[in-house]
Amino acid sequence: RQKLSGPQLLCQLKMMVKITTLTPEMEPFSKFPWASLLPAKPLMSALGPFKTCAVVSSAGSLRNSGLGKEIDAHDAVVRFNAAPTLGFEKDVGSKTTVRLINSQVMASEDHHFLSSSLYSSGALVAWDPAPFSSDLNEWYNRTDYPIFKQYQRYRRLHPQQLFYILHPSMEWQLWERLQDNMAEPIQKNPPSSGLLGTVLMMSLCDVVHIYEFLPSRRKTELCHYYQNFKDAACTMGAYHPLLYEKNLVKRMNQGSDKDIYNHGRVTLPGFNTFDC
Ligand code: NCC
């Protein structure tokens, strides 16, 4: 089978991955009194559009990158899970427009999700690894972590903050793009938060710069820039098909290899800027 070109891959993402968030009228949520806690307007109409966006991976190679100013110069900045800015401004900047979090962060004791100020800036977008069917009823009854319980608690404590839940169909539509474009079978687990956030921003921004998703010359075994914990699997993947995600992003990159090597920077076009 023919390997697709960058523009062809971009068109596949644009046409085949639908970015939706849960709304109060969706089944089975419409039956629950707490459905009114879900935002009435979909994310697309409440956030953006933005000209330039930065997606900041949590990779250890961001340490000593000095990329903070460049990252903050974007109109919107996305960060992931428990990645802090406080104390790391020089390397990762301080602006947070969206924080994409997995359901493990919401549920595990050590993240203090309900009380930590880490989660209070910008809009929150949460996701949970759903069954492949992406059926909302099936997922509701067996989420990986108690995402809905924690969502309700958080919304009651922070009613003013924008907080969305991604529709799980997005995970698996994106996974199918990965599998379809790889020569070998990939693990049947959803893509990492990094790729989900990248595609989310491609639907909101004209240009998306991703930092240290494809590792620069600073590539390290250090898992996160904010922790002294080493594990190469953080960069290469174990549960998530991370290596395949990176392969796909490399093929779609519109920046130079030098940008990757020196700055860990990839350039992707927003979905609204090209026709298919
Ligand atoms: O580590 P994590 O990801 O929070 O990182 C966010 C995104 O940055 C990219 N990344 C990170 C580290 C690295 N060395 N290279 C990278 O490219 C990835 O794209 C990653 O998605 C997740 O995807 O949600 C993940 O979350 C963690 C963990 O749940 C949270 O950090 C909270 O502690 C997962 N780790 C574990 O479960 C132990 C990780 O597998 C995926």
Side-chain angles (χ1 to χ4, degrees):
R1 190 176 34 158
Q2 192 95 44
K3 232 179 157 182
L4 295 191
S5 67
Q8 287 172 321
L9 289 171
L10 286 165
C11 274
Q12 278 206 346
L13 286 192
K14 174 173 169 164
M15 308 310 289
M16 299 167 90
V17 182
K18 207 165 166 281
I19 293 122
T20 10
T21 48
L22 302 186
T23 53
E25 63 279 358
M26 283 181 188
E27 290 286 337
F29 306 101
S30 58
K31 298 200 291 257
F32 309 136
W34 67 265
S36 59
L37 293 172
L38 291 166
K41 278 208 271 173
L43 176 135
M44 296 307 145
S45 50
L47 274 178
F50 302 106
K51 281 204 188 78
T52 65
C53 297
V55 176
V56 187
S57 92
S58 304
S61 47
L62 273 160
R63 232 188 238 186
N64 301 318
S65 68
L67 285 167
K69 275 208 182 105
E70 174 174 332
I71 289 169
D72 275 351
H74 291 79
D75 298 322
V77 178
V78 185
R79 304 181 191 277
F80 299 101
N81 296 322
T85 53
L86 202 67
F88 302 94
E89 292 88 348
K90 231 177 126 293
D91 294 330
V92 303
S94 59
K95 185 189 281 188
T96 305
T97 316
V98 174
R99 183 174 291 273
L100 183 59
I101 55 177
N102 66 39
S103 53
Q104 183 190 15
V105 171
M106 295 170 73
S108 90
E109 298 288 334
D110 28 298
H111 289 294
H112 305 285
F113 175 62
L114 298 175
S115 58
S116 166
S117 62
L118 186 62
Y119 304 99
S120 59
S121 41
L124 289 173
V125 179
W127 73 279
D128 172 80
F132 185 71
S133 70
S134 301
D135 178 79
L136 290 182
N137 274 296
E138 206 181 305
W139 175 46
Y140 185 77
N141 291 314
R142 53 183 187 112
T143 57
D144 240 26
Y145 290 91
I147 181 171
F148 298 115
K149 191 180 81 191
Q150 290 298 87
Y151 179 81
Q152 292 168 57
R153 287 184 171 157
Y154 191 94
R155 289 281 294 141
R156 292 199 166 101
L157 290 167
H158 310 266
Q160 302 305 332
Q161 194 179 357
L162 279 178
F163 192 171
Y164 296 91
I165 299 178
L166 281 184
H167 193 298
S169 61
M170 178 184 171
E171 302 163 20
W172 292 110
Q173 287 169 355
L174 196 49
W175 182 89
E176 284 185 314
R177 287 311 88 226
L178 289 168
Q179 179 59 90
D180 243 28
N181 288 291
M182 299 301 148
E184 51 199 281
I186 70 174
Q187 60 268 58
K188 211 163 180 176
N189 298 321
S192 72
S193 296
L195 191 68
L196 290 170
T198 298
V199 177
L200 176 73
M201 295 323 277
M202 287 171 84
S203 72
L204 295 175
C205 317
D206 290 345
V207 186
V208 179
H209 287 135
I210 320 170
Y211 291 93
E212 291 290 358
F213 185 63
L214 300 187
S216 68
R217 61 190 151 89
R218 289 178 298 271
K219 182 175 175 179
T220 163
E221 302 246 294
L222 198 64
C223 183
H224 295 131
Y225 67 81
Y226 53 90
Q227 277 174 337
N228 287 327
F229 163 68
K230 288 189 178 173
D231 183 357
C234 295
T235 304
M236 313 293 268
Y239 170 79
H240 298 291
L242 198 53
L243 216 50
Y244 302 102
E245 298 174 21
K246 293 184 184 204
N247 178 300
L248 201 77
V249 166
K250 175 75 170 68
R251 285 158 65 187
M252 296 186 296
N253 179 29
Q254 298 193 330
S256 66
D257 286 349
K258 256 204 160 125
D259 279 354
I260 301 175
Y261 185 73
N262 289 321
H263 310 289
R265 181 177 64 227
V266 157
T267 306
L268 294 179
F271 291 140
N272 284 326
T273 66
F274 58 89
D275 292 317
C276 294

